[in-house]
Amino acid sequence: MFAAAVAIDDPDDLPDGIDDSKNLSPERREELAAALRADEAVAVGVAEITTTRIDDPETDMNTLTVAAHGEAISRIVSGGERGIVDACDTSESRFARRVAAAVGPEITVEAEHGADETHAIVGAASIVAKVERDAHVARLAEQHGGVGSGYPSDPNTREFLREYVEAHGELPECARASWQTSKDALAAREQAGLDQF
């Protein structure tokens, strides 16, 4: 999981065409992310939540999402700033409080559903996070061959996991063991082993 934070003195100075990353082509996202990173007036912070952290039974995805936002914001703020995040919780105010607590008391955080579409600064952060995630998946593909999108619903990702488990007897380090997709791949190998016994 990746999260990003972007800061600029005047959001009107962001590149034209900023939008929620889901509304942009991969090529356009890469162009915009490169422009953001090249602009000295723009601060960019990125946080990665690894599969090990995701699979830790002592945590949950809501807590990790808050942590990702907090870590990304902490990389670019020094105190006294105000910011807005896309609310990843049914309660905007609760999500804002939790992210603010993760960053520190000197930061004021607002949260809004759909903020990546209505606030260019949040859209910019979503673009950077998506480009980082895509680059991560591309590196995994260089290492393992076709891994698909990396999402558990992707048939190519499911096939990669099935073939990897069949060949190695375990999940690759990049897979979330807590995914049902991963559990299914392990169960299928175990069943195949029993059938051959």
Side-chain angles (χ1 to χ4, degrees):
M1 175 196 320
F2 287 84
V6 171
I8 189 171
D9 287 339
D10 185 353
D12 290 338
D13 292 336
L14 288 167
D16 290 336
I18 296 284
D19 196 355
D20 179 353
S21 62
K22 295 184 291 296
N23 297 333
L24 301 170
S25 70
E27 296 78 20
R28 185 64 179 141
R29 287 193 300 260
E30 288 178 17
E31 290 170 8
L32 288 167
L36 290 165
R37 288 189 175 279
D39 189 336
E40 292 181 6
V42 177
V44 175
V46 176
E48 177 186 2
I49 303 296
T50 64
T51 56
T52 302
R53 285 179 72 183
I54 291 169
D55 287 336
D56 183 345
E58 298 297 315
T59 193
D60 59 72
M61 288 305 290
N62 289 335
T63 300
L64 292 172
T65 301
V66 168
H69 280 74
E71 289 170 22
I73 293 167
S74 294
R75 289 184 168 86
I76 62 169
V77 299
S78 55
E81 289 95 342
R82 299 180 60 85
I84 186 161
V85 297
D86 187 33
C88 299
D89 184 332
T90 55
S91 169
E92 294 170 332
S93 59
R94 177 175 54 215
F95 191 73
R97 281 193 311 274
R98 292 183 72 196
V99 171
V103 178
E106 63 281 354
I107 305 300
T108 302
V109 176
E110 295 176 28
E112 192 178 293
H113 293 120
D116 40 9
E117 289 188 327
T118 57
H119 297 274
I121 196 75
V122 183
S126 81
I127 289 166
V128 171
K130 179 67 171 148
V131 168
E132 287 289 327
R133 185 199 180 280
D134 289 349
H136 178 78
V137 172
R139 288 189 298 274
L140 292 174
E142 288 175 7
Q143 181 181 357
H144 296 290
V147 298
S149 66
Y151 292 112
S153 59
D154 181 344
N156 295 323
T157 297
R158 297 171 78 88
E159 182 66 13
F160 159 69
L161 287 174
R162 187 191 63 73
E163 289 178 357
Y164 189 95
V165 168
E166 191 173 287
H168 301 281
E170 62 185 5
L171 293 168
E173 77 288 342
C174 60
R176 298 180 190 177
S178 53
W179 271 352
Q180 188 59 48
T181 304
S182 296
K183 293 175 184 177
D184 291 347
L186 290 168
R189 182 179 192 280
E190 185 177 323
Q191 184 60 46
L194 290 173
D195 291 343
Q196 292 172 6
F197 181 66

